[in-house]
Amino acid sequence: MFHGTPLMSHLVIEDRIFVNARNKNDPEMTKIKTSIIRESKLQPTWGQNLPKCFIPLELEFENLIRKDINVITFDDLRHINTQHPIRPLTDAELKVFLKFQHAIGKILYFDEPGLDQHVILLPTYLIDAFKSIITDKRFCKGERQREALWDLMSQKGVISKFAIKELWRNRKYRMFKNATTTY
């Protein structure tokens, strides 16, 4: 069913496990446990000692994503950091935490002037924001504003900030307009 789709890379199909949910002593549960441990050991962070002070921040990121908050400022992170019970991290330690989370693909954070003041909690959010602006012309059909934006972009190779702001005023794309003011 998933052959030829991107989902195939996420499936573990070497093990075929049939669990009897009515039998609490089903021996297949041992196979599931073994498979989970095997897959866990393949993760890039397996075996690394991580500071326990990272855990509350990771949990807070998950809570924010559940609330549809996908971007926060570094100042927001500082505030979150002071709220958890374990010793708050210094700014340098926060950056180490962010770089680590970025390296394993959980968030996007760029420690570069001009980019370092925002943390994108859900990488697909940034992709969706770009897709709202830069896309194939066929995906713009029926949306006059996007069609005009696409035509301008294809002719001049430039999109003005004003055009993006106007596009994001549209109800369908409003989530991108004030991404960091939701926290």
Side-chain angles (χ1 to χ4, degrees):
M1 177 167 93
F2 296 108
H3 282 284
T5 71
L7 295 173
M8 191 64 187
S9 65
H10 298 287
L11 297 177
V12 177
I13 58 173
E14 298 87 44
D15 303 317
R16 291 197 170 48
I17 303 170
F18 300 96
V19 177
N20 179 354
R22 295 181 183 191
N23 178 1
K24 64 181 181 179
N25 298 316
D26 187 357
E28 295 288 300
M29 291 305 291
T30 304
K31 286 184 182 179
I32 289 177
K33 182 179 176 184
T34 303
S35 295
I36 291 171
I37 291 170
R38 183 185 66 240
E39 290 301 314
S40 297
K41 288 179 178 180
L42 295 174
Q43 301 308 305
T45 57
W46 179 263
Q48 291 183 10
N49 291 326
L50 301 175
K52 65 181 174 185
C53 52
F54 282 13
I55 296 169
L57 292 173
E58 288 182 23
L59 295 173
E60 187 61 35
F61 282 4
E62 289 175 20
N63 286 333
L64 291 171
I65 291 168
R66 268 189 237 116
K67 295 176 188 174
D68 283 332
I69 298 172
N70 300 303
V71 179
I72 61 171
T73 65
F74 194 81
D75 288 336
D76 291 334
L77 178 59
R78 280 188 187 117
H79 175 74
I80 292 167
N81 180 45
T82 62
Q83 302 302 309
H84 65 79
I86 301 173
R87 174 191 65 84
L89 302 177
T90 65
D91 279 4
E93 291 170 327
L94 280 175
K95 288 192 177 205
V96 168
F97 166 75
L98 291 172
K99 289 176 184 178
F100 173 77
Q101 295 294 310
H102 177 96
I104 63 172
K106 279 191 159 182
I107 66 160
L108 292 177
Y109 175 74
F110 303 97
D111 192 15
E112 297 290 330
L115 297 175
D116 61 350
Q117 291 307 305
H118 292 90
V119 180
I120 300 165
L121 303 176
L122 193 63
T124 55
Y125 179 81
L126 185 61
I127 294 166
D128 291 341
F130 281 129
K131 281 189 340 190
S132 74
I133 302 164
I134 303 166
T135 189
D136 191 291
K137 188 169 186 168
R138 64 184 162 166
F139 297 119
C140 301
K141 295 284 185 217
E143 294 182 52
R144 287 183 316 177
Q145 198 173 22
R146 282 184 84 198
E147 287 177 340
L149 181 67
W150 195 94
D151 289 338
L152 183 64
M153 181 184 63
S154 67
Q155 292 168 5
K156 299 191 178 201
V158 177
I159 303 171
S160 71
K161 286 183 180 181
F162 176 78
I164 293 170
K165 286 180 180 180
E166 285 299 306
L167 175 68
W168 286 354
R169 289 177 76 187
N170 179 320
R171 183 177 174 185
K172 185 176 179 181
Y173 307 108
R174 199 170 294 149
M175 68 181 111
F176 305 119
K177 186 177 178 203
N178 295 317
T180 60
T181 58
T182 358
Y183 175 75

